[in-house]
Amino acid sequence: VQLQASGGGLVQPGGSLRLSCAASGFALDDYGIGWFRQAPGKEREGVSYINISRKFYAVSVKDRFTISRDNAKNTVYLQMNSLKPEDTAVYYCARAASRLIFSEWRTPSNYHYWGQETLVTVSS
């Protein structure tokens, strides 16, 4: 199982970025994928989650971020629009141990495989 996150970078406030999480060693239909982020001095927090039937978002990103997946490419995307300085963090994608429900998706211990980080910096 491998997860390869990419797409981070420097963007001005109000700008957009699309993160990608390329998965290998398993099929996306069988597991959920979560995006997490961690800002300096803060705990890791769940940003969004997707499985075969559900999508969840943190309140702080709802209506600005969109999670999607391409089964043919075995890749999950996080489209981030209207970015704010407080979105600055390292972002990770992770594979859940199973299909998670709403009360579970934000808990990092429910994810057994993590990709490497990709840094998102929102600054003018």
Side-chain angles (χ1 to χ4, degrees):
V1 173
Q2 285 193 324
L3 299 165
Q4 183 84 18
S6 62
L10 173 64
V11 63
Q12 292 186 341
S16 298
L17 281 175
R18 188 178 78 160
L19 304 184
S20 299
C21 177
S24 59
F26 67 97
L28 289 180
D29 275 352
D30 297 331
Y31 296 91
I33 299 293
W35 282 100
F36 286 77
R37 67 186 181 186
Q38 189 164 17
K42 294 188 177 181
E43 293 187 355
R44 189 170 298 190
E45 65 168 344
V47 176
S48 187
Y49 169 86
I50 187 169
N51 66 22
I52 194 170
S53 58
R54 290 187 167 96
K55 298 179 183 180
F56 300 133
Y57 297 93
V59 171
S60 60
V61 306
K62 192 171 175 60
D63 298 327
R64 298 189 297 124
F65 291 10
T66 302
I67 194 168
S68 63
R69 61 184 200 165
D70 183 335
N71 281 7
K73 296 182 178 179
N74 224 36
T75 298
V76 172
Y77 301 99
L78 185 69
Q79 178 66 43
M80 306 186 297
N81 298 329
S82 302
L83 282 162
K84 304 175 181 181
E86 51 263 43
D87 295 316
T88 295
V90 291
Y91 284 70
Y92 303 86
C93 61
R95 194 193 85 173
S98 61
R99 295 176 190 173
L100 303 178
I101 60 175
F102 182 74
S103 62
E104 298 171 331
W105 77 271
R106 285 168 294 210
T107 302
S109 61
N110 288 329
Y111 297 79
H112 290 179
Y113 295 93
W114 292 79
Q116 87 289 354
E117 63 192 46
T118 186
L119 176 63
V120 172
T121 303
V122 185
S123 175
S124 55

